[in-house]
Amino acid sequence: MMNRCTAVDDTLSPLCEKESQAYLSNALQVADILKWVLLQTGPASVMMSSFSISEEFLRRIFFIRKEGLVRSLDILLDFKATNKTLKLWPFIAQTVENCYLSDNHSKILLVENDSHKVSVVMSQNLTRGNRYESGFISTDADVFNRLHQQLNYVITRQSVPFHDIFRRTVDNN
């Protein structure tokens, strides 16, 4: 079985070699890309947006965090995926610092520490699949700053902290 990071290395160049690069692959998963980026940047803060999330993805994140590669993790998901998110809440609560819900279909991954800013815009949700998915990776600080600003806007002005929804659901049952 091929090492997951080897599959990424076979598809993409190291971050230090190219400021931007794109991929179209049915072998890469979002968690593969995240770990590959973090192995190059070192421990970092991570922000992600997606329509939905899966248990398999959360398991991968759990182990990436266990390796000490993620300092903090915030996730923005879509309101329409609330039922699925509720079922995964105990695992989400152990894996991410903040989970937000909004009218969201974007798939963005932002990785930042004192020396790196990496942006990934992709087609895949935070799930596992074997379909062809595309992505664009950039180490350009302007690209990162713009996406970070826009994602923060959605989080602070257009979203609901998921723990509020979860508390209301539990209190009503």
Side-chain angles (χ1 to χ4, degrees):
M1 186 168 141
M2 184 186 305
N3 177 313
R4 290 177 169 146
C5 285
T6 302
V8 181
D9 288 336
D10 289 344
T11 305
L12 298 167
S13 299
L15 294 172
C16 64
E17 291 181 11
K18 290 190 176 182
E19 185 176 76
S20 62
Q21 52 190 315
Y23 65 90
L24 175 65
S25 172
N26 64 353
L28 301 182
Q29 303 294 317
V30 177
D32 300 330
I33 299 292
L34 175 61
K35 185 169 182 181
W36 178 80
V37 168
L38 290 167
L39 287 172
Q40 294 175 75
T41 64
S45 298
V46 178
M47 291 180 77
M48 296 182 189
S49 70
S50 179
F51 178 79
S52 67
I53 195 164
S54 71
E55 181 183 347
E56 181 173 331
F57 177 81
L58 286 166
R59 272 186 272 135
R60 294 278 310 276
I61 294 302
F62 177 84
F63 288 111
I64 292 170
R65 288 202 76 147
K66 200 170 180 179
E67 291 178 50
L69 293 170
V70 176
R71 290 183 183 154
S72 66
L73 175 59
D74 292 345
I75 294 179
L76 173 68
L77 300 171
D78 191 273
F79 283 120
K80 290 182 181 178
T82 301
N83 286 338
K84 182 178 180 182
T85 306
L86 274 170
K87 290 176 186 172
L88 293 172
W89 180 248
F91 204 178
I92 291 171
Q94 294 178 45
T95 311
V96 307
E97 274 69 32
N98 298 294
C99 180
Y100 304 93
L101 296 177
S102 184
D103 291 324
N104 179 65
H105 202 258
S106 68
K107 287 97 174 164
I108 299 171
L109 166 60
L110 301 175
V111 176
E112 177 182 31
N113 61 20
D114 292 338
S115 54
H116 297 88
K117 291 183 176 191
V118 181
S119 310
V120 183
V121 178
M122 59 215 154
S123 63
Q124 185 179 8
N125 286 308
L126 302 180
T127 58
R128 169 85 181 149
N130 294 316
R131 295 179 173 178
Y132 278 93
E133 300 285 355
S134 59
F136 175 80
I137 302 171
S138 175
T139 56
D140 181 297
D142 291 335
V143 171
F144 179 94
N145 291 338
R146 185 72 172 141
L147 287 170
H148 189 266
Q149 175 188 28
Q150 292 169 343
L151 191 54
N152 267 331
Y153 178 86
V154 173
I155 286 171
T156 60
R157 294 194 172 94
Q158 304 287 320
S159 74
V160 175
F162 187 71
H163 62 273
D164 288 348
I165 292 173
F166 183 75
R167 186 178 335 108
R168 280 186 239 142
T169 301
V170 170
D171 289 346
N172 288 334
N173 287 330

